[in-house]
Amino acid sequence: MNDGVLLYDPDCGFCTATARRMQGWSLGCLIEPMTPARLAQFGVDERRALRQVPFVGADNQVHFGAEAFAAALGTGGPAHRVAGRLLATPPVSWLGAVVYREVAAHRHQLPGGTDACELH
């Protein structure tokens, strides 16, 4: 049994590199490439998912963006859970949302990013 699934954009090199890094963190959730079929399975809006990474919890609740990362971290060991709670709690959550938006907007310019990563 897993604690949910974090779905990343497999067409984005930056997202793929980030997902690979996170797979080494021993989180209790799956980290998988998003496909139209997986998004439909969970009832996740594809347009939003391409702009903000979705996390679908074991309870089928969907979180997006920085909240998705907080939820994914919350499935890990003690240090990851603390980091996830911190990222989910104001004022850190407000800062996390701003940082997430900036990273997402510029992911094509970040290490591993390509033109395919650019949001439209």
Side-chain angles (χ1 to χ4, degrees), residues 8-16 34 49-51 103-120:
Y8 67 91
D9 182 353
D11 294 329
C12 174
F14 177 75
C15 295
T16 301
M34 72 174 83
L50 290 172
R51 299 190 69 73
V103 168
H106 299 283
R107 66 188 191 173
H108 62 289
Q109 298 168 324
L110 296 171
T114 65
D115 290 342
C117 303
E118 189 168 7
L119 298 178
H120 300 281

Side-chain angles (χ1 to χ4, degrees), residues 31-114:
I31 300 173
E32 299 181 348
M34 72 174 83
T35 63
R38 279 302 255 166
L39 294 172
Q41 174 187 355
F42 294 120
V44 175
D45 177 60
E46 185 173 2
R47 286 176 36 147
R48 184 167 182 191
L50 290 172
R51 299 190 69 73
Q52 295 180 303
V53 64
F55 174 86
V56 183
D59 60 358
N60 290 320
Q61 185 174 1
V62 181
H63 302 273
F64 290 94
E67 290 180 11
F69 281 103
L73 288 169
T75 70
H80 288 113
R81 286 195 306 270
V82 168
R85 278 193 299 270
L86 186 62
L87 183 56
T89 305
V92 176
S93 62
W94 305 333
L95 179 60
V98 170
V99 169
Y100 183 89
R101 277 193 303 272
E102 287 302 308
V103 168
H106 299 283
R107 66 188 191 173
H108 62 289
Q109 298 168 324
L110 296 171
T114 65

